[in-house]
């Protein structure tokens, strides 16, 4: 280990000012700090610093993403062979899924990190860790049939237009991963709607089973025809959908990691669920069709609701930043999601649009929360002044 | 005594090396120094020349922009050396001490029998005025602007802080005299804040002529800024003063004996202190005279010497002196060695407010915390964290952002007048983006100060 550090220290001068690869210093630095925590010490202010840093924060979100990722990989294989009517081993299902999913992840990381590194070198700032999470989120919210070139285009769009034009991680208004998905949704609608959720590539001698339908539960409800999967299947995730979004159980496992470590905002998560449930109940009261009459709890386990609530809405940069604001922000995401799902026939999945919409409104929510704090402080000052004068 | 004010937000950082309650005396230093840099935004003008003899209490320099505020020698001796830094800024005034101190006589008096102006005059003349500081801006109090109240915190909640209960032991009378003097300086009240669980000394509990408050909770409950916020907050246009307990005892001595006696008790603390305990010294004493013999040495390890606590103290070396307002010296290891995959390792030996480290499972454990910064600076990403360690009705992140964009109107609305860098020290400690928050707050205060002066 010591030798490794020595090796890095040895090549370091090449990247420092005046070195041959001076321009790539930030790239070098990113790998260096990945390998070890540098021996940099505090100079002013607090002499000791909490051991927590951005890298550890982000890696925990990635750890929390592992359950939906693994389940998603298996489910891709499972859905594929189910569509073909074939009984195959568990490992075959995983293998098929892995072959389909891993390239998407690789493309997302390669394109995104490539751009991040280029910007970091050009602007001479450290490479920010935020994209490590975004690059994992992007594949998980896409259907498995998305062509790789589209993954690359969407990722590039999300990083450049979603983040870098605003100044990089921490400055963005919209959630980059969702922006990537929204971009594809509106730029290539034919690839992102219809029967795209199951990989149905056939090899010789294979054919789809009779009466195959690859529609998601949301599409079934919106169209008002087809058979809904059971609540059991919805909760455990044996249903078609984007790679990572199907299993509510796996997502709850991830949510547990985020909440236990305190990295994901419990306020936002719970208020999204409460908002969705409340809106579902409200629609039940005025129900005129099957979708409106659907039990409210089912919204929470259908489609991308849980995934959005746990991983997307909680992105601290694009979410509301004040405590009270987080409740309002989360609640409205839940409400809007169900509203879009049920009342808007064009977009069966409301989660993506609801979160992006509330991302835009988060600064406004914060503004009013801050104004309320200012007013509260003013009244307190006045009260105390009266008391001390009396 | 009224019901204790419960501070819920905050953080006690469990560090190794608390000072044992043993009082030793350090040998008398050969050289003592007074550092104008201990006082924020002070421009010193010298009153003595090198080689001159001075008595303890004799004026050395004054504040260029407030000529009434003078600074005097803590010991008697010869003014031997003037250390200057960049742009000829005066860093240190060194006095070679005599064997025995000779004091300038300011005359003993009972402050309760003097008028407010007479009390003020005496403190100014003795050079003890700088021990009185003010909010807003966290600077030496302006003698001409009377405060609406004066605050004294009788406990320090900072990591490894000196126990003021122990320090006041045997000096209760001087402390009370000091309080009496303060009561003459304001039309309003003098507030004394105790820790409802830890403050037991009669000198605090039975203090007369002041309003006693009690606080309970984690650091920064002992910060006077937090106490002011909960008792009588500072609005635009308000001024409050505050004094540290040791400085108040010196003011007490001034009135009891008529001299500027700068002797004080310093706690030597930290994981790298071999015998963490209390030492009796005279203000301006050299760090080396207290600490040298007690620094742990280890192959490949360097020690950071801090005058003050780990959150707000100043990095010093052995030749420096203890800074004016500090009650402790802290010795901790430098964190200048790389850690392989340190950012993802379980890190059993690291403390963190985050539950992604196992520290929260071991509430009994004390840590040997080093000075490694652990990451480069990042933009604000994580939200809701600063709020957990700032027990004020102030929105820390919004205030910081308003300072960063220089929005004076917003700074005022968000409470810049109430805060000082030390109140935000814990925010800086927990910040995963490693932003220099205390510096930012100081910048904001400076902007406001220049804007309205």
């Amino acid at each position: 280990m010591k030798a490794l550090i020595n090796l890095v220290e040895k090549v370091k001068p090449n990247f420092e000012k005046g070195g041959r690869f001076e321009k790539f210093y930030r790239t070098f630095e990113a790998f260096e700090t990945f390998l070890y925590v540098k021996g940099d010490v505090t100079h002013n202010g607090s002499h000791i610093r909490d051991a927590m840093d951005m890298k550890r924060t982000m890696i925990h979100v990635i750890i929390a993403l592992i359950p939906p990722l693994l389940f998603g990989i298996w489910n891709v294989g499972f859905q594929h062979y189910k569509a073909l009517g074939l009984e195959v081993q568990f490992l075959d299902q995983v293998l098929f899924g892995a072959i389909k999913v891993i390239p998407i992840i690789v493309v997302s990381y390669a394109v995104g990190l490539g751009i991040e590194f280029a910007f970091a070198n050009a602007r001479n700032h450290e490479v920010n860790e935020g994209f490590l999470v975004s690059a994992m989120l992007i594949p998980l919210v896409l259907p498995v049939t998305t062509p790789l070139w589209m993954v690359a285009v969407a990722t590039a769009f999300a990083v450049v237009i979603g983040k870098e034009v605003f100044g990089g991680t921490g400055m963005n208004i919209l959630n980059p991963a969702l922006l990537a998905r929204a971009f594809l949704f509106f730029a290539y609608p034919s690839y992102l709607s219809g029967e795209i959720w199951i990989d149905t590539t056939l090899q010789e001698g294979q054919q789809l089973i009779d009466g195959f339908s690859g529609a998601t539960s949301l599409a079934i409800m919106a169209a008002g025809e087809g058979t809904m999967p059971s609540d059991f299947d919805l909760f455990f995730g044996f249903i078609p959908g984007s790679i990572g979004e199907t299993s509510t159980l796996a997502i709850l496992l991830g949510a547990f990691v985020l909440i236990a470590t305190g990295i994901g905002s419990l306020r936002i998560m719970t208020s999204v669920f409460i908002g969705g449930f409340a809106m579902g109940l409200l629609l039940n009261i005025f129900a005129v069709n099957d979708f409106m009459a659907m039990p409210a709890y089912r919204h929470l386990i259908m489609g991308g609701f849980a995934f959005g609530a746990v991983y997307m809405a909680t992105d601290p940069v694009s979410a509301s930043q004040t405590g009270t604001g987080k409740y309002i922000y989360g609640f409205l995401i839940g409400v809007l999601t169900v509203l879009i799902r049920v009342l808007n026939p064009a977009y069966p999945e409301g989660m993506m649009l609801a979160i992006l919409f509330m991302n835009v409104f988060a600064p406004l929510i914060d503004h009013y929360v801050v104004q309320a704090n200012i007013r509260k402080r003013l009244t307190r000052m006045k009260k105390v002044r009266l008391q001390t004068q009396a | 005594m009224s019901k204790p004010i419960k501070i819920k937000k905050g953080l006690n950082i469990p560090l190794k090396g608390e000072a044992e309650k043993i009082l030793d005396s350090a040998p008398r230093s050969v050289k003592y120094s007074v550092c104008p840099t201990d006082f924020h935004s002070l421009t010193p003008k010298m009153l003595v020349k090198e080689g001159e003899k001075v008595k303890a209490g004799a004026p050395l320099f004054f504040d260029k922009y407030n000529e009434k505020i003078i600074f005097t020698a803590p010991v008697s001796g010869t003014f031997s050396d003037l250390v200057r830094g960049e742009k000829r800024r005066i860093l240190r005034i060194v006095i070679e001490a005599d064997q025995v101190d000779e004091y300038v006589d300011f005359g003993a008096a009972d402050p309760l029998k003097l008028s407010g102006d007479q009390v003020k005059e005496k403190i100014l003349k003795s050079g003890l005025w700088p021990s009185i500081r003010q909010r807003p801006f966290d600077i030496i109090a302006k003698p001409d602007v009377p405060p609406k109240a004066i605050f004294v915190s009788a406990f320090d909640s900072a990591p490894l802080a000196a126990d003021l209960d122990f320090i006041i032991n045997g000096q209760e009378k001087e402390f009370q005299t000091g309080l009496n003097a303060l009561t003459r300086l304001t039309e309003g009240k003098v507030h004394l804040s105790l820790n409802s669980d830890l403050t037991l000394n009669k000198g605090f509990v039975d203090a007369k002529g002041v309003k006693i408050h009690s606080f309970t909770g984690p650091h920064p409950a002992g910060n006077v800024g937090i106490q002011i916020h909960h008792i009588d907050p500072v609005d635009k246009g308000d001024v409050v003063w505050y004094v540290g307990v040791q400085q108040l005892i010196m003011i007490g001595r001034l009135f009891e004996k008529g001299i500027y006696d700068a002797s004080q008790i310093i706690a030597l603390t930290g994981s790298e202190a071999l015998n963490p305990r209390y030492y009796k010294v005279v203000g301006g004493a050299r760090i080396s005279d207290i600490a040298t013999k007690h620094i742990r040495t280890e192959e490949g390890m360097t020690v950071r010497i801090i005058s003050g606590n780990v959150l707000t103290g100043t990095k010093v070396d052995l030749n420096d002196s203890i800074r004016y307002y500090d009650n402790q010296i802290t010795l901790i290891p430098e964190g200048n060695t790389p850690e392989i995959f340190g950012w993802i390792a379980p890190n059993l030996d690291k403390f963190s407010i985050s539950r992604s480290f196992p520290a929260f499972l071991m509430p009994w454990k004390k840590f040997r915390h080093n000075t490694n910064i652990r990451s480069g600076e990042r933009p604000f990403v994580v939200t809701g964290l600063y709020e957990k360690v700032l027990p004020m009705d102030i929105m820390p992140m919004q205030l910081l952002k308003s300072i960063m964009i220089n929005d004076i109107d917003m700074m005022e609305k968000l409470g810049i007048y109430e805060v000082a860098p030390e109140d935000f020290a814990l925010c800086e400690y927990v910040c995963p983006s490693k932003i220099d928050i205390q510096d930012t707050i100081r910048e904001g205060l400076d902007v406001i100060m220049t804007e309205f002066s």
Side-chain angles (χ1 to χ4, degrees):
Chain A
M1 281 304 175
K2 193 88 192 157
L4 195 63
I5 296 180
N6 287 342
L7 182 74
V8 175
E9 291 293 336
K10 215 170 120 190
V11 296
K12 198 172 182 176
N14 289 322
F15 292 93
E16 282 172 338
K17 225 177 164 78
R20 264 196 302 172
F21 306 112
E22 188 189 327
K23 277 187 183 146
F24 299 102
Y25 174 68
R26 294 301 177 177
T27 310
F28 170 81
E29 182 188 52
F31 285 105
E32 184 193 14
T33 55
F34 177 81
L35 201 59
Y36 54 82
V37 170
K38 286 205 275 187
D40 288 349
V41 294
T42 52
H43 292 290
N44 42 7
S46 179
H47 294 266
I48 56 173
R49 296 297 177 97
D50 193 299
M52 194 65 177
D53 68 346
M54 268 328 42
K55 284 194 177 57
R56 199 176 177 95
T57 309
M58 295 305 171
I59 203 71
H60 276 83
V61 185
I62 293 180
I63 291 170
L65 279 166
I66 290 175
L69 171 69
L70 293 182
F71 184 89
I73 288 177
W74 170 79
N75 193 41
V76 164
F78 171 73
Q79 294 294 338
H80 170 76
Y81 287 112
K82 193 176 155 201
L84 299 181
L86 295 175
E87 294 273 333
V88 296
Q89 298 279 315
F90 173 76
L91 274 181
D92 287 328
Q93 294 166 336
V94 172
L95 192 67
F96 181 87
I99 291 169
K100 294 289 172 188
V101 174
I102 288 172
I104 303 182
I105 297 176
V106 171
V107 168
S108 160
Y109 269 100
V111 173
L113 285 182
I115 300 172
E116 284 270 335
F117 277 74
F119 270 93
N121 284 315
R123 286 186 178 154
N124 196 21
H125 65 69
E126 284 192 47
V127 175
N128 284 318
E129 292 83 0
F131 189 75
L132 294 175
V133 170
S134 304
M136 184 57 95
L137 286 170
I138 291 172
L140 294 182
V141 293
L142 290 177
V144 66
T145 55
T146 317
L148 291 179
W149 65 267
M150 271 169 49
V151 178
V153 172
T155 307
F157 178 83
V159 175
V160 176
I161 305 297
K163 238 164 63 165
E164 295 300 339
V165 293
F166 295 107
T169 302
M171 319 288 181
N172 48 306
I173 293 169
L174 300 169
N175 183 322
L178 272 183
L179 193 66
R181 193 186 195 281
F183 171 75
L184 290 181
F185 188 82
F186 291 108
Y188 305 98
S190 59
Y191 286 90
L192 259 278
S193 52
E195 310 246 319
I196 43 131
W197 306 103
I198 299 173
D199 191 301
T200 51
T201 38
L202 299 175
Q203 285 170 344
E204 247 186 70
Q206 290 180 335
Q207 58 175 11
L208 293 175
I209 51 168
D210 291 339
F212 162 75
S213 162
T216 61
S217 46
L218 283 166
I220 294 170
M221 288 310 295
E225 52 188 45
T227 37
M228 269 295 280
S230 65
D231 285 350
F232 179 86
D233 283 357
L234 284 174
F235 180 74
F236 285 95
F238 309 129
I239 47 169
S242 295
I243 295 168
E245 71 174 19
T246 59
S247 173
T248 311
L249 178 70
I251 292 162
L252 287 180
L253 277 177
F256 175 76
V257 173
L258 290 180
I259 293 166
T261 54
I263 288 167
S265 166
L266 181 62
R267 288 178 188 211
I268 295 180
M269 286 186 213
T270 44
S271 49
V272 174
F273 280 108
I274 292 169
F277 189 70
M279 192 64 208
L281 286 179
L282 192 69
L283 287 174
N284 285 348
I285 297 170
F286 300 102
V288 289
N289 62 23
D290 283 353
F291 207 170
M292 287 174 82
M294 190 184 77
Y297 70 86
R298 203 176 275 173
H299 276 294
L300 313 185
I301 52 178
M302 267 166 68
F305 195 98
F307 193 86
V310 172
Y311 300 106
M312 296 293 195
T314 51
D315 167 23
V317 175
S318 56
S320 186
Q321 304 189 342
T322 53
T324 324
K326 282 176 183 162
Y327 288 121
I328 302 168
Y329 164 86
F331 187 81
L332 288 179
I333 286 179
V335 168
L336 280 175
T337 302
V338 173
L339 203 65
I340 297 171
R341 277 181 176 181
V342 177
L343 300 181
N344 186 328
Y347 306 114
E349 178 52 292
M351 199 65 194
M352 171 183 82
L353 294 171
I355 295 176
L356 288 174
F357 190 70
M358 289 314 296
N359 280 170
V360 175
F361 276 90
L364 186 69
I365 297 172
D366 284 342
H367 172 78
Y368 284 109
V369 174
V370 170
Q371 292 303 321
N373 173 268
I374 291 170
R375 271 199 304 278
K376 195 173 129 209
R377 289 170 40 76
L378 266 180
T379 16
R380 180 169 174 237
M381 289 287 183
K382 275 186 195 144
K383 217 175 105 187
V384 171
R385 179 153 298 169
L386 284 176
Q387 273 173 3
T388 45
Q389 277 169 0
Chain B
M1 195 160 60
S2 51
K3 231 171 82 183
I5 298 170
K6 278 203 185 94
I7 301 291
K8 292 200 187 96
K9 296 168 173 180
L11 177 69
N12 286 328
I13 304 169
L15 298 184
K16 268 187 191 160
E18 197 180 329
E20 252 186 287
K21 296 215 168 76
I22 300 172
L23 185 60
D24 255 353
S25 47
R28 187 171 168 86
S29 300
V30 181
K31 286 175 177 174
Y32 287 80
S33 35
V34 182
C35 306
T37 48
D38 290 359
F39 312 94
H40 182 72
S41 79
L42 171 74
T43 315
K45 277 293 218 190
M46 293 305 296
L47 288 167
V48 284
K49 293 216 165 60
E50 274 165 278
E52 256 178 66
K53 292 280 284 176
V54 289
K55 284 183 182 175
L60 294 176
F61 61 92
F62 64 95
D63 180 353
K64 186 180 170 190
Y65 299 105
N66 209 326
E67 294 177 10
K68 282 184 189 165
I69 302 175
I70 59 166
F71 298 75
T72 53
V75 291
S76 68
T78 316
F79 168 33
S80 66
D81 207 1
L82 187 67
V83 182
R84 288 180 188 270
E86 278 171 37
K87 295 183 187 166
R88 292 184 41 81
R89 187 171 174 219
I90 299 173
L91 298 181
R92 211 182 301 164
I93 291 135
V94 183
I95 297 165
E96 257 174 52
D98 297 339
Q99 289 296 326
V100 184
D101 280 328
E102 268 180 74
Y103 294 98
V104 176
D105 186 18
F106 299 103
D110 181 356
L112 292 177
K113 289 183 184 144
L114 298 177
S115 74
D117 282 342
Q118 284 170 316
V119 169
K120 196 190 287 179
E121 203 59 35
K122 208 177 191 60
I123 298 175
L124 279 166
K125 229 175 113 193
S126 71
L128 269 166
W129 190 264
S131 63
I132 303 174
R133 283 175 286 177
Q134 68 160 61
R135 294 284 172 102
F137 310 131
D138 194 24
I139 49 172
I140 298 172
K142 294 199 172 75
D144 301 328
V145 188
K148 70 167 180 172
I150 302 179
F151 292 82
V152 179
S153 173
F155 67 106
D156 190 346
S157 54
L160 303 177
D163 181 3
L164 296 177
D165 253 37
F166 180 72
I167 285 178
I168 195 188
N169 220 336
Q171 311 189 77
E172 291 87 350
K173 194 166 163 239
E174 286 87 348
F175 180 73
Q176 181 61 51
T177 312
L179 285 179
N180 292 346
L182 291 187
T183 56
R184 310 302 291 166
L185 293 176
T186 175
E187 300 272 292
K189 289 194 178 79
V190 175
H191 301 275
L192 178 68
S193 304
L194 317 179
N195 184 315
S196 63
D197 309 317
L198 301 174
T199 308
L200 299 169
N201 194 293
K202 293 265 180 270
F204 293 135
V205 180
D206 298 338
K208 308 267 176 331
V210 297
K211 186 155 187 215
I212 294 184
H213 304 265
S214 69
F215 284 81
T216 158
H219 185 60
N223 277 13
V224 73
I226 306 298
Q227 296 164 358
I228 296 169
H229 177 83
H230 287 272
I231 296 167
D232 189 3
V234 182
D235 199 359
K236 186 176 182 175
D238 288 344
V239 175
V240 301
W241 290 354
Y242 68 99
V243 194
V245 167
Q246 294 234 56
Q247 278 85 28
L248 196 54
I249 291 172
M250 288 181 213
I251 293 177
R253 275 186 217 132
L254 170 69
F255 286 94
E256 293 278 330
K257 297 183 199 157
I259 56 170
Y260 171 36
D261 175 0
S263 40
Q264 52 190 286
I265 295 167
I266 297 289
L268 181 66
T269 63
S271 59
E272 307 317 298
L274 288 176
N275 297 304
R277 58 177 61 164
Y278 293 81
Y279 290 90
K280 194 162 185 207
V281 300
V282 176
R286 285 230 297 209
I287 303 271
S288 56
D289 293 319
I290 308 160
T292 308
K293 280 185 289 180
H294 306 288
I295 299 177
R296 189 195 309 277
T297 46
E298 201 176 283
E299 180 71 31
M301 184 199 70
T302 42
V303 172
R304 167 150 324 177
I305 306 166
I306 302 163
S307 173
N309 66 58
V310 288
L311 292 174
T312 59
T314 316
K315 182 181 173 181
V316 292
D317 60 42
L318 285 171
N319 291 323
D320 281 323
S321 58
I322 305 156
R323 290 176 55 110
Y324 191 83
Y325 299 108
D326 292 336
N327 295 327
Q328 71 183 119
I329 295 169
T330 311
L331 308 173
I332 55 170
E334 288 282 8
N336 50 7
T337 44
E339 291 169 35
I340 292 274
F341 292 116
W343 55 279
I344 192 177
N347 283 317
L348 286 165
D349 57 340
K350 300 274 185 312
F351 179 74
S352 172
I353 192 176
S354 160
R355 289 191 302 269
S356 73
F357 289 85
F360 77 100
L361 298 170
M362 306 176 280
W364 60 88
K365 188 170 169 160
K366 304 270 184 212
F367 292 84
R368 191 178 162 206
H369 212 316
N370 68 26
T371 60
N372 195 305
I373 197 162
R374 301 201 70 78
S375 161
E377 190 171 326
R378 298 284 184 271
F380 289 114
V381 170
V382 173
T383 58
L385 191 57
Y386 305 149
E387 286 83 350
K388 285 185 187 165
V389 293
L390 183 73
M392 289 172 132
D393 186 20
I394 278 178
M395 306 188 102
M397 193 185 244
Q398 283 69 25
L399 177 60
L400 288 167
K401 285 183 177 175
S402 70
I403 294 171
M404 286 172 176
I405 59 169
N406 215 353
D407 182 344
I408 290 174
D409 184 45
M410 205 60 186
M411 285 188 236
E412 289 189 330
K413 284 181 178 165
L414 289 171
I416 187 89
Y417 293 107
E418 291 198 60
V419 303
E422 62 168 14
D423 301 329
F424 278 68
L426 275 172
C427 297
E428 183 169 82
Y429 172 75
V430 300
C431 180
S433 296
K434 313 295 174 192
I435 295 168
D436 288 331
I437 291 174
Q438 294 191 80
D439 280 359
T440 311
I441 293 289
R442 180 46 85 189
E443 270 167 41
L445 291 172
D446 285 348
V447 166
I448 301 272
M449 207 154 59
T450 42
E451 189 73 13
F452 295 106
S453 65

